[in-house]
Amino acid sequence: MTSALRRAAALLTVPVLLVALWWYSSANSTDFYRPPLSRILVAFRETWFGARLADDVLPSLTRLLLGYAAALLLGVAVGVAVGTSYRLRALVEPILEFLRAIPPPVLVPIIMLVAGIGDLMKVIVIVSGCVWPILLNTVEGVRNVDEILADTCRSYRVRGMARLRHLVLRSASPQIVTGARQALSIGIILMVISEMFAASSGLGFTVVQFQRGFAIPQMWSGVLLLGLLGVLLSLLFRLAERRILRWYHGIRAIEREP
Amino acid sequence: MLEVNALRKVYDGHGRRVEAIADLTFSVGEGEFACVVGPSGCGKTTLLKCIAGLLAPTSGEARIDGTPVTGPPTGLAVVFQEYGRSLFPWLRARDNVELPLRAAGLPRRTRHGLVEEALRAVGLGDVHGAYPWQLSGGMQQRVAIARAIAYGPRVLLMDEPFAAVDAQTRADLEDLIRSVWQRLGVTLLFVTHDIDESVYLGQRVIVLSAAPTRVAEDIAIDLPAARDQLTTRGDPRFAELRGQIYAQIQKAKHGSTR
């Protein structure tokens, strides 16, 4: 209990200090563009705890989750195929390197031409950025399946889907999770960016609207909300990771012991 | 039951040809416990992999029940030396034992009965829920043996399974293997570099020469079937057989340098 408290304290100290610093340094601010934090917080409550929650926050998050899930599926599926087949890897690796080097925001205009300006476009933008770290990490993970485990599967006739599920995916899971973690932060960025083009709802859209309408405290509150969402999502991610990679962290903890 | 006919294995790679096995011929009868010993680097593991269908021989063949081995045969289980790498670290002990049975499509109730029985047979009645890395080396190898038992093989291959555990554990595991073999009536081929172990365990010891490998001698172990660490190892006949095999291996080593 005390250790949990101590951990929470360690985790929160710096954020609390920074917020306090922001609060006091901005308390008497008369600068139009840098309003006091107190005003931003008031705007936060007024702006986000109303209709906007359903009209802007929810659509953004839905698109993010859809795009992220699709990227996860696509990245792992293609990654397993490429990682398993030496031939396929030799064939597609240069193309993958090229595609992944393209910054996804630059694809927005192109994707718009193909997919229109609706939700589909935004989801595709998110997929196009999230898929690469997942895919490339999956390839690495699948390639490094332990030889003796693979032999064990062969001699015990663990094949097909059972082999994929119990050997390939689990062996690669530490790398897949690493890729998925990188993809999550990319996804949040692309969620916002995709909403800055030709959008009528969403967090990115709203923040830009506020800025153009000189609703400065509201604009700040949007940025704050995005930051908080990022923290929340990464917490959720860590919970999932702890479950999925229990064995991995367990082994690492034992190896670290003197 | 198990025949090896004129088996030859040459590794070809990077412009270097290594003749691991020159010409091996021997056979093991139904229900027999045969040990294979030889100097290190004489291709013991290669031989075992060829019999297990994990490696294709350059020429010659292994046959089980008259059927040539072309891939992992049914009813054959392997216990590897590297227990740490042949158990799935993401599966609990019981799930490790169960996986081959699931892949074989056995119904749940049958599976659970077999797993329970096998774990009890190796003296691990109470660690079902532990992950392999939470267990000691000896216990991990017991789990691997339980997996082999539960699989219900007709042929069991063991590749230096006790090379990496401490002496005390090793003695326990040797006795365990004797009792498992006597109860299951399985045909057992046990590869080791330890002469004492081969004499203590086997009904027969096949002595290999140094690479390029041939059968140097095939010695019947005429010790009583009921063996225990004290009396058997104290038996004058044990010392005699041990000396005979030792001399053979020394001769085999010199033979290869000539």
Side-chain angles (χ1 to χ4, degrees):
Chain A
M1 187 60 212
T2 46
S3 82
L5 272 176
R6 205 173 302 147
R7 276 228 316 269
L11 214 66
L12 290 174
T13 308
V14 175
V16 167
L17 280 178
L18 285 177
V19 169
L21 190 70
W22 187 5
W23 181 280
Y24 285 109
S25 68
S26 67
N28 301 315
S29 168
T30 50
D31 186 337
F32 181 74
Y33 297 112
R34 274 183 289 132
L37 181 54
S38 54
R39 273 194 60 204
I40 296 175
L41 291 180
V42 170
F44 188 92
R45 204 185 59 222
E46 286 168 353
T47 310
W48 301 109
F49 292 157
R52 276 217 173 76
L53 194 63
D55 294 346
D56 291 303
V57 182
L58 228 51
S60 278
L61 284 179
T62 311
R63 289 190 289 252
L64 173 62
L65 289 183
L66 276 177
Y68 188 66
L72 212 53
L73 271 177
L74 188 70
V76 171
V78 177
V80 166
V82 174
T84 313
S85 157
Y86 177 79
R87 277 243 209 72
L88 190 59
R89 191 159 63 244
L91 211 63
V92 301
E93 209 148 50
I95 310 167
L96 292 182
E97 288 297 331
F98 171 77
L99 287 175
R100 130 193 142 108
I102 301 172
V106 111
L107 292 176
V108 175
I110 301 167
I111 294 172
M112 238 191 247
L113 290 178
V114 182
I117 58 169
D119 286 345
L120 182 64
M121 174 278 272
K122 298 176 183 75
V123 171
I124 292 178
V125 170
I126 292 170
V127 173
S128 71
C130 288
V131 77
W132 303 112
I134 298 172
L135 198 163
L136 295 167
N137 277 290
T138 305
V139 171
E140 272 317 298
V142 169
R143 283 181 61 184
N144 294 329
V145 169
D146 188 276
E147 222 177 288
I148 291 174
L149 271 186
D151 273 352
T152 302
C153 274
R154 280 182 66 199
S155 58
Y156 283 107
R157 305 177 149 252
V158 177
R159 294 181 287 205
M161 283 310 284
R163 182 176 187 278
L164 181 69
R165 217 181 110 196
H166 295 291
L167 176 68
V168 179
L169 288 180
R170 295 308 293 269
S171 295
S173 58
Q175 272 100 330
I176 296 177
V177 166
T178 303
R181 194 186 303 117
Q182 294 167 9
L184 185 61
S185 44
I186 296 175
I188 296 172
I189 295 169
L190 289 179
M191 169 188 89
V192 175
I193 288 177
S194 71
E195 290 164 355
M196 291 179 167
F197 295 89
S200 55
S201 73
L203 278 164
F205 165 75
T206 316
V207 170
V208 172
Q209 283 300 102
F210 285 143
Q211 184 240 342
R212 288 186 184 148
F214 293 101
I216 301 304
Q218 285 77 1
M219 179 199 81
W220 278 103
S221 78
V223 174
L224 209 57
L225 179 64
L226 278 167
L228 289 174
L229 276 179
V231 171
L232 181 72
L233 288 173
S234 87
L235 274 178
L236 287 176
F237 188 91
R238 249 202 261 175
L239 281 181
E241 172 179 348
R242 205 174 294 173
R243 266 190 71 86
I244 297 168
L245 293 186
R246 234 191 105 177
W247 62 274
Y248 181 71
H249 293 309
I251 293 174
R252 295 260 307 253
I254 285 175
E255 280 170 356
R256 269 199 302 272
E257 274 172 20
Chain B
M1 176 65 197
L2 170 64
E3 290 164 71
V4 175
N5 296 327
L7 190 102
R8 178 182 151 84
K9 178 69 187 175
V10 179
Y11 289 105
D12 241 330
H14 307 290
R16 238 165 65 92
R17 277 170 66 86
V18 179
E19 191 174 29
I21 297 177
D23 179 9
L24 275 183
T25 301
F26 64 88
S27 67
V28 182
E30 176 100 48
E32 197 175 9
F33 192 148
C35 290
V36 174
V37 280
S40 51
C42 76
K44 295 187 292 273
T45 300
T46 303
L47 164 68
L48 198 126
K49 281 191 166 177
C50 288
I51 298 173
L54 297 170
L55 205 61
T58 309
S59 66
E61 60 178 7
R63 282 171 179 264
I64 289 174
D65 269 342
T67 315
V69 172
T70 49
T74 45
L76 181 142
V78 187
V79 174
F80 294 93
Q81 177 185 345
E82 301 91 338
Y83 49 80
R85 286 168 64 198
S86 86
L87 294 174
F88 298 87
W90 43 84
L91 294 180
R92 294 168 194 276
R94 79 170 100 77
D95 301 322
N96 263 291
V97 178
E98 192 183 355
L99 182 61
L101 309 177
R102 276 171 71 166
L106 291 180
R108 175 188 289 263
R109 186 166 300 175
T110 318
R111 284 188 333 238
H112 286 182
L114 287 169
V115 169
E116 191 72 33
E117 203 181 307
L119 282 170
R120 211 174 324 117
V122 299
L124 291 179
D126 48 355
V127 296
H128 291 197
Y131 287 100
W133 40 269
Q134 292 172 322
L135 303 172
S136 68
M139 282 165 112
Q140 289 183 41
Q141 197 56 295
R142 279 170 199 262
V143 175
I145 292 167
R147 177 169 62 189
I149 294 173
Y151 191 59
R154 299 191 49 221
V155 180
L156 180 55
L157 305 179
M158 304 187 93
D159 183 13
E160 306 205 22
F162 311 144
V165 297
D166 62 82
Q168 188 53 57
T169 310
R170 185 171 184 152
D172 292 345
L173 289 172
E174 284 168 2
D175 291 334
L176 172 71
I177 276 304
R178 282 282 303 178
S179 76
V180 163
W181 165 71
Q182 276 165 338
R183 252 206 350 246
L184 296 185
V186 67
T187 305
L188 213 164
L189 191 69
F190 190 103
V191 168
T192 177
H193 64 262
D194 184 324
I195 297 167
D196 287 47
E197 186 169 78
S198 71
V199 177
Y200 182 71
L201 287 176
Q203 295 177 299
R204 204 177 129 201
V205 174
I206 298 162
V207 184
L208 302 183
S209 70
T213 308
R214 293 183 163 77
V215 174
E217 192 163 1
D218 195 335
I219 298 172
I221 302 298
D222 47 7
L223 293 167
R227 297 183 190 177
D228 76 82
Q229 297 284 351
L230 270 179
T231 47
T232 306
R233 285 182 194 269
D235 194 324
R237 182 67 185 140
F238 182 89
E240 217 174 295
L241 287 163
R242 182 182 175 283
Q244 198 182 336
I245 293 169
Y246 184 78
Q248 267 307 330
I249 289 185
Q250 289 305 317
K251 213 166 82 188
K253 274 194 205 160
H254 288 291
S256 71
T257 50
R258 200 169 10 152

